[in-house]
Amino acid sequence: MGIENATFDFLDRIRTQDDPKVILEELLAQSSALGFQHFMITGLPLPMEELAPLVMLNAWPQEWYSRYTQSNYFAVDGVAQWSLRTTRPYRWDEVPAEYRENDAAKRVMAEAKSFGFRDGYVVPMYSPRHWQTAVAFASDQALALSPRDLGALQIMGVFAAESVRRLLTPRRDLPPVLSPRERDCLTWAARGKSSWDISVILGIGHQTVRGYFATIRHKLDVTTMAQAVAESIRRGEIRP
């Protein structure tokens, strides 16, 4: 099964799921297939705020999770701190050196390796009005994944996070906000097509598609297209 089919099958399975444990198991199965044996979905704590109450799904080894939260490692973990400063997904080795190379951050990473955390991928999610969250995937080995694989993981992580958040803060059915053309563009984007590809498929200008993307993000109150895909599926604007 291709990564695109696996992704949309995953979205279809959890879109109406009402049990966070099942969402955890489904996401763990998909991330493990790509080499990530551990993940966490959590809110991002403000200074002087604890991490543990913000954790929504946890697939970390219990001993490492307890040590990390009780010792407040989030405050000095360079990989974690970078999630507060960017909305773009990143590999651990993409975190700027000033966050990874200080003594405290090095100590956290050394301890993490002893629990099998050697490589990872973090997907931050931010909306100015109502949520700041991250999905943090970790592996016991250095991984060489394609941009397509990482993009699929991003979409699955965002959708799982939003699904869990929906369960924790139930919302009534939401009215559609996208125009038919915006839904067309987003549907093709969900299938992995670039803005240029979509312009050719729909017979419209490249900049027009980019303009639609900007409007979609604004209407859905998100910052990335992966978040737009997940939110629009959750709202029923497009189908997986």
Side-chain angles (χ1 to χ4, degrees):
M1 180 185 294
I3 188 63
E4 291 89 353
N5 289 338
T7 300
F8 287 111
D9 284 349
F10 167 82
L11 300 184
D12 204 31
R13 287 195 301 274
I14 71 167
R15 65 179 303 173
T16 58
Q17 184 55 243
D18 58 4
D19 186 348
K21 182 179 178 180
V22 174
I23 296 175
L24 184 150
E25 292 170 348
E26 290 279 1
L27 184 58
L28 185 59
Q30 296 300 318
S31 62
S32 294
L34 292 172
F36 294 102
Q37 303 89 1
H38 313 293
F39 76 86
M40 177 188 289
I41 299 178
T42 182
L44 302 181
L46 298 172
M48 308 305 293
E49 190 176 21
E50 294 184 0
L51 176 66
L54 304 179
V55 175
M56 291 181 281
L57 286 183
N58 173 33
W60 280 16
Q62 185 57 47
E63 184 180 353
W64 175 235
Y65 173 78
S66 297
R67 182 182 302 187
Y68 192 96
T69 54
Q70 292 172 10
S71 300
N72 192 26
Y73 279 169
F74 185 93
V76 295
D77 179 359
V79 170
Q81 286 296 303
W82 187 238
S83 67
L84 294 168
R85 295 162 174 82
T86 183
T87 58
R88 300 187 62 174
Y90 55 91
R91 299 286 294 262
W92 285 2
D93 59 7
E94 295 173 332
V95 175
E98 60 263 34
Y99 291 94
R100 290 188 291 117
E101 298 300 323
N102 62 76
D103 290 343
K106 287 182 177 180
R107 185 176 66 252
V108 172
M109 291 306 297
E111 290 190 39
K113 286 182 179 179
S114 71
F115 286 91
F117 284 49
R118 297 182 177 275
D119 194 7
Y121 185 59
V122 181
V123 181
M125 291 162 278
Y126 177 69
S127 170
R129 290 200 292 272
H130 54 72
W131 61 316
Q132 189 170 6
T133 309
V135 186
F137 298 95
S139 174
D140 61 3
Q141 58 186 310
L143 298 175
L145 296 175
S146 70
R148 188 178 294 270
D149 288 336
L150 293 176
L153 191 64
Q154 178 186 359
I155 289 175
M156 288 188 284
V158 168
F159 193 79
E162 175 57 23
S163 296
V164 174
R165 194 174 70 89
R166 170 180 55 83
L167 294 177
L168 297 177
T169 56
R171 297 169 63 173
R172 294 174 294 180
D173 291 340
L174 299 173
V177 297
L178 301 182
S179 71
R181 183 58 91 186
E182 289 164 352
R183 286 194 288 272
D184 288 342
C185 290
L186 193 56
T187 296
W188 284 111
R191 296 175 182 173
K193 301 299 183 182
S194 68
S195 56
W196 178 260
D197 294 332
I198 296 170
S199 71
V200 174
I201 292 168
L202 298 180
I204 58 180
H206 182 213
Q207 291 304 316
T208 300
V209 175
R210 292 171 64 89
Y212 280 133
F213 281 0
T215 302
I216 289 167
R217 292 193 298 269
H218 174 74
K219 285 183 175 181
L220 298 179
D221 192 21
V222 298
T223 56
T224 71
M225 290 308 296
Q227 292 171 10
V229 168
E231 175 68 4
S232 64
I233 292 173
R234 184 185 72 82
R235 296 173 63 104
E237 295 272 4
I238 65 174
R239 294 184 61 83

